[in-house]
Amino acid sequence: MNHYLPSLLHYLATILFLIILLNTSLDAATDRSRYRKAARNLPNSRGKGKSQTKERSSKPNIVVILTDDQDVMLGSMDVMNKTRRILADGGATFTNAFVTTPMCCPSRSTILTGLHTHNHEVYTNNEHCGSLSWRRGPETRTFATYLQREDYRTGYFGKYLNTYNGTYIPPGWMEWVGLIRNSRFYNYSVYRNGNKITHGNSYHDDYLTDLIANDSMTFFKLSKQVYPTRPVAVVLSMPAPHGPEDAAPQYQHMFDGVMTHRTATWNVAPNPDKHWIFQYTGKMTTQMMAFTDVLQRKRLQTLLSVDDAVEKIYNLLKDMDELDNTYILFTSDHGYHAGQFGLVKGKSMPYEFDVRVPFYIRGPNIPGGTVIPNIVLNVDIAPTILDMAGISHRDVMDGKSVLKLVYNANATRSRSGNGRKRRLWRDTFLIERGQQRKTNEERSNYLPKDKRMQEECAKPEYESPCKPDQLKECILDTDGTLRFRKCRVPKVRKERKRKKKRRCQCNRSQLSKKEKKSQRKFLRDHVSQDGYKPRFMRDEREVNETAMAIQGVDPDVELADGPVRNAVVIDPKCQISRNGRVVCEDEIFASPQAWMEHRQFLSKQIESLKDNINRLKEIREYVVDKKPRRQKVCICEEEDEGEDEDVEGEDEEVVEGEINEEEGKVRRGKKSRKENLSDLDSETFLTRYAEKLQKKFVDLTEEEIDQMVEKKANKLKKQVKKSKRPKSPEEEACAVGGMSCFFQTEDHWTTPPLWNSGSFCFCPNSINNTYWCLRTLNSTHDYLYCEYVTGFIEYFDMRQDPDQMENKIHSVPVEIRRQLNEDLMLLRECKGAKECNPRPKSPPGDTYDTYEEDEEDDRPERMWDGWKG
């Protein structure tokens, strides 16, 4: 037994050594884990020791940072030093980035779908923004849905669409923190993964810009920890620099006296050569000018928090060793103006300050400091994101991936050695706002009228003589001028079926049809008078003449005491006899002066009676408007057996009329309908609204109906609240026909710097600001051509007039103007990347429009050769 003891001791010593070694390794691993966790929490940590065997996704991560209302022309990027250092110096800068619709909801819909406004049909911030058609159509085909199918972990943080009500999570997003309604910094609500959370006014807990940055970073870290091999796509939709422009406390003292917004077009007003709102808008007052200075200062202050967020994201990616496998895209939904052309603030104009946006991309193999002069659009963002993920998007979206430009920045336009054709990049794009509505056909530009008529009469739709279905023809007037004449084509009128009126069947003294028929039969059988022919009088004159002839009175002589046709005496010296003749006293014709005096008297009488007729017409209109609900009541002296049945039927009709009145279907116009709807309690109205939705949209689920009813209820509450809020006389007076006007008060801002220089009224937009524009930029042309819904036309040549000061449409030849109109009409109806990106007009050798692609382009050239603008 003793000889086994050394071996046993040896085994025990080995086991003890292994246990000690294992504990030491576990302690070291724990210490390293704690160190890494602490290093991640340090603000300036860089993570020097990186594991060489770390698992990573084969596809790149994608980070999209989207600001709200950020301009380029007013100098907003000048204050974002961290962003320019990280993205511009470390990636690519696109110097000619534009949006196709300079409004929040349409532009964001375009960014999500890669479609033009006329294809996703979100025309304004109200029209179809977040509507059922949007949710059933374009929202199901955003870039998020494609990324999710490719195993991306997707997250959205911040503002979504202006009318988003926080009742659903849009398809394609795994992590969702969506802002309810429009941009705010404090006192807002978010819909976080199915739960509505309300935030207050604490900077550390509620400031939205920081909340978006922190939540997105948390989502990225957790995704990589749990799913290290899956790529992440995250969108940070910032509220800055949108109103109410609340800056973080540490930046509220910055940029005192900033004047970067005072560009060459600042307070240049009025502008009679531009469209309607600029013709109406005059120069700003001293108060308004001071307001734009404060506004610009607060806008720049809010962007400093976005600048910090970009640096946080950059440091996180660097610490996690994901920077070289991540694309970062930075842009805005549209530009902004603050005093340009006299408009105090706003957007939605087709000019450079509203359509130009910042645009940066940093990512794998993108050389730092790259500058791309090609035109890029918000419609290109979704295709670019899918291209980053390696997803094909051909024939799905209207835009094109801009990665081709980044990776072929030094390419030249020519045929390569292998014979492949180098395709040209776009140099023309569409800018649109609003939807086409019924308007006048004639254009109201500032060309001379004779030239406008010549141009219009040359169109085939105005040829003379009129053809079938032609509306107007152009004819030469007697004075030698051209004018339009309506084509009068005889129309076949359809006979209207007259509804039989229900009559009360009462026991009256008049003979019934049956009794009359019986009497006629009796007269035919028992009365016979040979040669008797009844005479029927045709009019009142014949009756009077016959009666007077029987009495032996001359019909041409007026009886002094006889009745006259005009019961009211309007001429004491002339009257109308019973036989219709005018009889006047002889003194009227005694002298020319007497005749003239009586003629003037009659003229005054006629004018007076015309005024009385007009007053009577006004009274009649008032009486018609106040027409009571139609009730048919039968009043009979004696009741018979059949009367009860008829009266009961009339009662049913009256009750039906009352129901129709409650539902707002009475015949008194829309005004009465609104008044009747306002009388209903909200619960009854919403119940009927839900029933309407079920009938109109049969395939709606109960959840979708509830969400739409809730959206309608919130809208009603807002309307009631707005109607109950008392308005000051100045606020009541802040209303101009055809304009969207606002009353700026001192309580608009609640964080420093405050506005305490009084209230004022301003009108940032007009209801007829609907347009379609053609924007071209290359080495030979730089212009903007716009057609407004009113028919007004604008043309700005930015090579000679970079600030768009003067409308030069009158100097454009008719042939060129017609070609511009044809090109614009094609883009207004384009679908798909091929139709929406026309072939460039510039000559070969232009470095603005080049990248290499194998696809052939068989579209014809457009007529631009030889014209220099």
Side-chain angles (χ1 to χ4, degrees), residues 386-421:
L386 297 186
D387 193 14
M388 293 173 178
I391 302 173
S392 175
H393 59 276
R394 195 176 301 275
D395 299 330
V396 176
M397 299 177 177
D398 298 336
K400 301 191 295 185
S401 172
V402 302
L403 290 185
K404 303 178 181 67
L405 299 175
V406 176
Y407 293 126
N408 296 276
N410 298 322
T412 58
R413 182 185 300 182
S414 62
R415 290 190 177 273
S416 56
N418 56 8
R420 291 187 305 171
K421 184 178 180 179

Side-chain angles (χ1 to χ4, degrees), residues 644-664:
D644 292 339
E645 182 179 356
D646 292 331
V647 172
E648 184 180 354
E650 296 300 328
D651 289 342
E652 291 178 359
E653 184 178 350
V654 171
V655 172
E656 184 180 356
E658 293 173 356
I659 293 174
N660 289 340
E661 184 178 11
E662 288 181 3
E663 293 179 351

Side-chain angles (χ1 to χ4, degrees), residues 44-230:
N44 294 322
S45 62
R46 296 291 182 269
K48 302 261 179 170
K50 300 173 184 176
S51 176
Q52 300 296 328
T53 60
K54 179 183 176 180
E55 292 182 300
R56 296 175 61 176
S57 60
S58 58
K59 293 186 176 182
N61 307 303
I62 302 170
V63 177
V64 178
I65 303 174
L66 179 65
T67 55
D68 195 358
D69 289 11
Q70 185 176 2
D71 62 272
V72 169
M73 306 295 291
L74 308 188
S76 66
M77 286 305 303
D78 296 342
V79 302
M80 302 183 69
N81 299 324
K82 301 173 184 177
T83 301
R84 288 188 288 110
R85 173 178 54 83
I86 294 171
L87 300 181
D89 297 344
T93 303
F94 295 82
T95 57
N96 288 308
F98 301 85
V99 295
T100 56
T101 302
M103 294 191 72
C104 293
C105 201
S107 180
R108 289 172 177 268
S109 302
T110 296
I111 291 172
L112 290 166
T113 61
L115 300 176
H116 279 288
T117 298
H118 62 268
N119 288 331
H120 61 61
E121 296 183 342
V122 180
Y123 296 104
T124 65
N125 289 339
N126 299 316
E127 194 171 6
H128 296 289
C129 181
S131 63
L132 183 63
S133 60
W134 158 260
R135 291 177 56 184
R136 287 183 169 181
E139 194 176 40
T140 62
R141 301 185 298 271
T142 63
F143 65 80
T145 58
Y146 294 95
L147 292 176
Q148 192 178 43
R149 282 184 230 139
E150 295 295 324
D151 206 30
Y152 266 82
R153 288 188 52 81
T154 55
Y156 194 100
F157 303 86
K159 176 181 175 179
Y160 185 54
L161 300 178
N162 295 48
T163 59
Y164 176 68
N165 57 5
T167 57
Y168 72 101
I169 299 176
W173 303 103
M174 303 180 65
E175 185 77 10
W176 180 261
V177 184
L179 176 67
I180 297 177
R181 303 297 175 185
N182 211 348
S183 291
R184 298 180 70 89
F185 296 85
Y186 298 106
N187 301 313
Y188 58 87
S189 297
V190 295
Y191 194 62
R192 183 185 293 271
N193 297 327
N195 299 314
K196 183 178 179 180
I197 300 175
T198 302
H199 287 262
N201 55 1
S202 171
Y203 168 71
H204 296 286
D205 299 331
D206 305 314
Y207 193 66
L208 184 56
T209 304
D210 293 350
L211 179 78
I212 293 171
N214 296 333
D215 286 352
S216 59
M217 291 170 61
T218 302
F219 168 71
F220 192 95
K221 287 190 291 186
L222 291 178
S223 297
K224 287 300 180 180
Q225 289 175 2
V226 180
Y227 307 98
T229 59
R230 291 182 60 180

Side-chain angles (χ1 to χ4, degrees), residues 811-864:
S811 65
V812 181
V814 175
E815 296 78 10
I816 298 298
R817 193 161 61 249
R818 189 171 298 164
Q819 182 65 39
L820 289 170
N821 174 261
E822 293 177 4
D823 293 344
L824 180 59
M825 295 303 295
L826 290 175
L827 284 180
R828 284 178 56 179
E829 299 175 356
C830 73
K831 289 185 178 180
K834 186 174 182 180
E835 293 182 5
C836 296
N837 297 278
R839 186 175 181 178
K841 320 179 191 69
S842 53
D846 181 9
T847 57
Y848 270 43
D849 323 312
T850 175
Y851 78 90
E852 183 177 350
E853 192 172 276
D854 296 336
E855 184 181 353
E856 293 292 329
D857 188 0
D858 55 356
R859 284 168 291 175
E861 288 277 3
R862 291 183 290 174
M863 187 189 73
W864 276 100

Side-chain angles (χ1 to χ4, degrees), residues 132 135-136 167-168 690 693-694 697-709:
L132 183 63
R135 291 177 56 184
R136 287 183 169 181
T167 57
Y168 72 101
L693 291 176
Q694 289 176 346
F697 306 102
V698 183
D699 54 344
L700 272 180
T701 63
E702 293 184 1
E703 183 181 358
E704 289 177 332
I705 292 177
D706 293 341
Q707 292 171 357
M708 296 183 69
V709 170

